Amino acid sequence: MTSLAYIIRPSTPPSRIIPLARAVESAGIEEIWLWEDCFQTGGISTASAILSATERVRVGIGVLPTPLRNVALTAMEIGGVDGMFPGRLVPGIGHGVQPWMAQVGARAASPLTLMREYSTALRALLAGERVTTSGRYVSLDDVALDWPPARPVPVPVAATGPKSLRLAGEVGDGVVLEGSVGLPGLPAVHERLAEGRAAAGRLEASFPVIQFVSGGTGPDAAGRLRAELTAWGTDVADDAALAQYALWGDAQALADGVRRYGAAGVDTVALQPTEDDPDLERLISVVGAAQELLRTA
């Protein structure tokens, strides 16, 4: 069954995050997804606060920008959070938005090289290994975590372009896809991921696909979604085109949309509200009802 998660955007005022997270858990939704945008809320701090304020919900971060974070620090934070909340953190990593990385003096000349080095070192550290490596971007000298996770922590990789998708298939424990992929882009995504997994001999390993999808409910939902997606450069001139990139309507409509993504090879649909959604609690309630429909189908 394809699962349905809810996204708390990093533009959400910090004072609103915990009430929304508790509403998500109360609605029966099993996962919350976050991400880091410069210069809004931090992924690890927000995830930790949500995990502390809830009892069962898992928190995915899609994603932590690798140029912004030393790999040892990322490993320390993941290991610490997983030790406090075992199995409830899914920490994704990505290239970061390049203009923002340049703005803070962290832009990498070769994001693909950085990702390969970073993901390899991070997975080794989280596995409890002692790591020495000297790469173009990642250098570690006899580094090991005092508190590595007691069990494997999956680290999915965000990717959009063909080269990034192949690399995600090689080095990631899954992939995080942004909303611009939509249903039309999924066949090419799966093809590139399979190429990377085959090159690494990983075709038999579990490889979840997490897809961010814009969503909403209420009579004005389609209009809000169309305006936001159009502003991002996606051509959604009519409802048929919009339905390729967004989900809206009541619980049944959302559940039916999630099933379409499931049929296209997506394991988790993370529903992203529009920036101007007037009633996030109402949307969370509808997403929870859609999740129940998916469970009982």
Side-chain angles (χ1 to χ4, degrees), residues 62-150:
V63 291
L64 301 168
T66 55
L68 198 60
R69 294 173 165 274
N70 183 281
V71 68
L73 177 61
T74 299
M76 289 162 56
E77 292 192 316
I78 292 171
V81 173
D82 185 74
M84 291 182 280
F85 308 101
R88 294 178 61 197
L89 178 69
V90 184
I93 56 175
H95 299 306
V97 177
Q98 297 308 299
W100 286 335
M101 299 302 100
Q103 195 174 352
V104 297
R107 183 168 184 165
S110 176
L112 290 172
T113 300
L114 170 58
M115 178 59 71
R116 184 180 295 279
E117 294 178 1
Y118 197 104
S119 59
T120 301
L122 179 59
R123 291 174 72 187
L125 289 169
L126 293 177
E129 298 177 18
R130 186 168 296 275
V131 181
T132 296
T133 184
S134 180
R136 182 175 177 182
Y137 297 104
V138 175
S139 294
L140 299 172
D141 183 8
D142 196 33
V143 175
L145 297 181
D146 282 4
W147 301 104

Side-chain angles (χ1 to χ4, degrees), residues 3-62:
S3 63
L4 178 56
Y6 180 82
I7 292 173
I8 297 179
R9 296 172 66 138
S11 55
T12 304
S15 61
R16 290 271 285 141
I17 290 172
I18 297 305
L20 289 174
R22 287 173 171 156
V24 169
E25 185 166 73
S26 294
I29 303 166
E30 296 177 353
E31 286 187 3
I32 293 171
W33 278 80
L34 317 166
W35 76 88
E36 286 190 330
D37 267 356
C38 295
F39 301 93
Q40 298 176 330
T41 49
I44 291 289
S45 58
T46 303
S48 299
I50 290 172
L51 290 166
S52 182
T54 57
E55 296 181 0
R56 301 174 304 280
V57 69
R58 293 187 300 273
V59 179
I61 306 177

